[in-house]
Amino acid sequence: MSKRTKTESLGFDDLSEDIFGLSVRAFHTVVTVFSKPKETFAAARLADWNDRRFTPSIRLVFSVMALLTAVRFLWAGDTSILYETVKFSVDESMEFASESARLAYLEQLLDAFVVAFTPTFMACHIVAALLLHIWGKGCSFALRLRFYFLGLLPGTIFSLFSVIGMSHLHLGLWAAYGLISIIVIFALDFLTVFRGGVTGNTLLAKAWRSVLFGLTSLVVSIATNVVSVTVAQIYLEFFGSQLAQ
């Protein structure tokens, strides 16, 4: 009888939560981590993210990376700087029986790279979170993961939009655009943890820890590309079609 009463008490608010709750919380989390990062870091210390007011940071970063994979044609298509970079590397190190075989191999390599990129990105940053101790004493591994991916979130979101802009640029502007993007991402990483997460008795102490976070995030993200390409090449060597001669 009590179960029936609880079921009958469900209303429109409950249905709205079922349909829109996750999206609303995710949007709220993104807005807050930009505007009031300290609030999101405080919520991360609670098991339920302050009564589920915020979406877990690891889930959000993974979702953004999934979106990045969905728009792969913008950053890994045959007109992208990534395509040109991989093409140059392949041309320098491998020989093919024909031009069609070379283009087919490039396409397979980029497909494998895109598949490997998101899990590699997450795995590399999880290792970095394990090794980086800037959040104060007594932080468990789980809490360090929450903090680390909160700090990563604004820069990751910016990356999603920056690749869209990159797809419309002239080839000669890619280097400058890429450098500006790196600076902006570093600044977002630094400001997010400086305003919300890192500990320190002085502003200088907080600043150098925030710089360390930004540099770590940057190096790991660059390494992710290298590791993902390597994984893709290994996969094609063992499981792909034998196009190279």
Side-chain angles (χ1 to χ4, degrees):
M1 185 68 178
S2 60
K3 290 184 178 180
R4 183 177 179 182
T5 301
K6 288 181 179 180
T7 302
E8 291 177 346
S9 67
L10 295 177
F12 180 76
D13 289 342
D14 303 292
L15 182 60
S16 297
E17 169 65 19
D18 289 346
I19 299 174
F20 303 111
L22 180 60
S23 298
V24 172
R25 285 196 301 274
F27 179 76
H28 173 66
T29 305
V30 170
V31 171
T32 307
V33 80
F34 274 97
S35 60
K36 301 175 182 178
K38 193 171 184 177
E39 187 176 331
T40 58
F41 279 91
R45 291 184 177 275
L46 306 176
D48 59 357
W49 287 85
N50 196 4
D51 197 24
R52 300 180 67 203
R53 290 184 60 228
F54 298 97
T55 301
S57 52
I58 299 176
R59 185 189 306 167
L60 270 179
V61 171
F62 183 82
S63 298
V64 174
M65 296 306 299
L67 285 174
L68 193 61
T69 301
V71 295
R72 59 92 68 187
F73 62 92
L74 295 176
W75 58 279
D78 56 10
T79 61
S80 67
I81 187 171
L82 176 64
Y83 183 90
E84 293 298 325
T85 302
V86 173
K87 176 177 175 293
F88 176 80
S89 177
V90 169
D91 290 347
E92 289 291 312
S93 60
M94 302 179 68
E95 294 183 0
F96 296 87
S98 64
E99 178 66 11
S100 60
R102 182 177 69 89
L103 294 177
Y105 179 84
L106 278 172
E107 186 65 27
Q108 289 185 9
L109 181 60
L110 285 170
D111 286 343
F113 169 84
V114 171
V115 171
F117 185 77
T118 294
T120 302
F121 178 93
M122 298 298 292
C124 288
H125 279 290
I126 287 173
V127 172
L130 173 64
L131 299 176
L132 195 63
H133 296 268
I134 60 174
W135 316 108
K137 295 181 180 179
C139 279
S140 65
F141 175 53
L143 184 55
R144 294 205 304 274
L145 276 178
R146 286 185 170 191
F147 281 171
Y148 185 96
F149 280 91
L150 269 177
L152 210 62
L153 183 57
T156 306
I157 293 173
F158 174 81
S159 298
L160 175 64
F161 290 100
S162 69
V163 297
I164 297 175
M166 183 176 286
S167 65
H168 300 290
L169 287 179
H170 185 271
L171 179 62
L173 298 176
W174 276 345
Y177 185 87
L179 178 60
I180 293 172
S181 296
I182 288 174
I183 293 173
V184 172
I185 291 170
F186 175 83
L188 287 171
D189 290 345
F190 172 87
L191 289 172
T192 302
V193 299
F194 180 80
R195 295 168 62 204
V198 296
T199 58
N201 296 324
T202 65
L203 288 178
L204 182 60
K206 292 180 64 177
W208 79 257
R209 287 179 172 86
S210 301
V211 168
L212 181 59
F213 175 84
L215 290 176
T216 300
S217 170
L218 180 61
V219 170
V220 172
S221 295
I222 293 174
T224 295
N225 289 281
V226 177
V227 174
S228 297
V229 170
T230 303
V231 169
Q233 289 175 324
I234 292 173
Y235 172 81
L236 289 185
E237 182 177 347
F238 286 98
F239 302 105
S241 57
Q242 300 298 315
L243 297 172
Q245 300 296 319

